[in-house]
Amino acid sequence: MIVGNGLIANALKKIDTEDYLFFASGVSNSLEIRSSEFEREFSLLKDRIEKHPGCRLVYFSTLSVNDQSKQESPYVLHKLKLEDYIKNNTGSYSILRIGNIVGNGGNPNTLFNFLRNQIFQGNTFTIHQRARRLLVDIDDVSKFLQTNDDHLNNQTVNFAYPYYFDLKEIVQALESRMQKTARYTETDEGDFYIVDFDETANNFFIGIDADQYLRDLAEKYI
């Protein structure tokens, strides 16, 4: 069973089964501060757990919980609260902390969508030179879940392509694919955080070059 109808939910349809409860209807805006939005997700999660006690719950969290600068943000605190609730109230679960998702549609403010739209519209935007981001193809999320089923039971796993892309790398890949020059300024700002990827996540991407992964994302979703 899939809860949700967004980017992640649509990608899970190919692996949907009655033995699993895929919860993909959470707060997706990391800047969200409204308690009503957090409570909506929490209430829905509790309701679905109670109604489907025999299913393994698959919950999608965020790699941002590893960012020490965001430990007090309402979004991160909310995600950690729900992770703890899941661990204490389900017999079987998988928590996938994912990076910046790239796919068709979804939130227009995700990194890839934002940069693509700015370039397409000819807008001038700012690149933070010190920023690095972890990307993941939405299709890799469902493939990873399907191929690592046994390992993921009652586990919390960090998942993204294990390379820290700088923003200029991403912009250049988009420029090449779109055949359009981006208009941007640069500032000596930005940061990133280190994520520990376990062997299963690293092995999933073995043999895939970072430059090729980025080019493939641009080719696939532009």
Side-chain angles (χ1 to χ4, degrees):
M1 176 182 177
I2 299 172
V3 182
N5 54 18
L7 183 61
I8 295 177
N10 288 328
L12 295 171
K13 290 179 179 178
K14 64 190 75 173
I15 63 169
D16 190 19
T17 165
E18 62 183 15
D19 296 325
Y20 286 75
L21 176 61
F22 295 103
F23 193 87
S25 183
V27 176
S28 60
N29 182 2
S30 62
L31 300 178
E32 182 62 74
I33 60 173
R34 292 172 295 175
S35 60
S36 59
E37 290 300 296
F38 299 134
E39 184 56 38
R40 180 197 63 79
E41 180 183 356
F42 197 10
S43 296
L44 182 61
L45 176 67
K46 289 188 288 186
D47 177 73
R48 293 300 184 267
I49 289 175
E50 292 171 1
K51 290 181 177 177
H52 303 277
C55 294
R56 182 195 294 184
L57 174 68
V58 179
Y59 181 74
F60 300 94
S61 188
T62 173
L63 287 180
S64 295
V65 301
N66 296 284
D67 187 348
Q68 293 303 308
S69 70
K70 296 181 179 178
Q71 294 305 296
E72 298 303 319
S73 80
Y75 177 75
V76 165
L77 291 173
H78 166 71
K79 289 298 185 183
L80 289 172
K81 176 183 176 181
L82 267 59
E83 287 187 15
D84 286 341
Y85 182 85
I86 289 166
K87 294 173 185 177
N88 294 322
N89 292 275
T90 61
S92 180
Y93 67 86
S94 299
I95 296 173
L96 210 62
R97 293 173 173 172
I98 50 183
N100 289 269
I101 295 176
V102 183
N104 286 320
N107 187 341
N109 294 315
T110 59
L111 177 64
F112 218 75
N113 287 346
F114 172 80
L115 293 175
R116 178 192 60 200
N117 292 339
Q118 295 304 302
I119 296 171
F120 178 76
Q121 295 168 9
N123 297 334
T124 300
F125 57 95
T126 300
I127 285 181
H128 291 179
Q129 294 175 329
R130 298 182 187 179
R132 302 290 185 274
R133 293 295 181 264
L134 291 158
L135 304 177
V136 63
D137 186 337
I138 184 60
D139 288 339
D140 285 337
V141 174
S142 57
K143 291 176 184 176
F144 180 71
L145 288 170
Q146 187 174 36
T147 57
N148 293 280
D149 180 71
D150 292 338
H151 172 77
L152 295 175
N153 189 34
N154 291 340
Q155 297 295 317
T156 300
V157 176
N158 297 323
F159 186 66
Y161 183 83
Y163 175 84
Y164 301 87
F165 293 98
D166 72 50
L167 299 188
K168 284 188 72 172
E169 285 181 289
I170 300 172
V171 168
Q172 288 166 2
L174 297 179
E175 286 179 316
S176 178
R177 172 58 178 159
M178 299 172 71
Q179 294 294 294
K180 190 175 177 65
T181 300
R183 301 172 60 186
Y184 60 85
T185 59
E186 298 181 61
T187 179
D188 187 26
E189 297 181 58
D191 57 14
F192 66 99
Y193 50 91
I194 300 298
V195 174
D196 290 327
F197 293 103
D198 73 8
E199 185 177 358
T200 305
N202 281 320
N203 287 343
F204 182 83
F205 294 105
I206 279 183
I208 304 175
D209 176 78
D211 288 340
Q212 187 61 54
Y213 193 75
L214 183 55
R215 287 195 298 269
D216 288 345
L217 288 175
E219 178 74 22
K220 188 174 181 179
Y221 295 116
I222 298 301

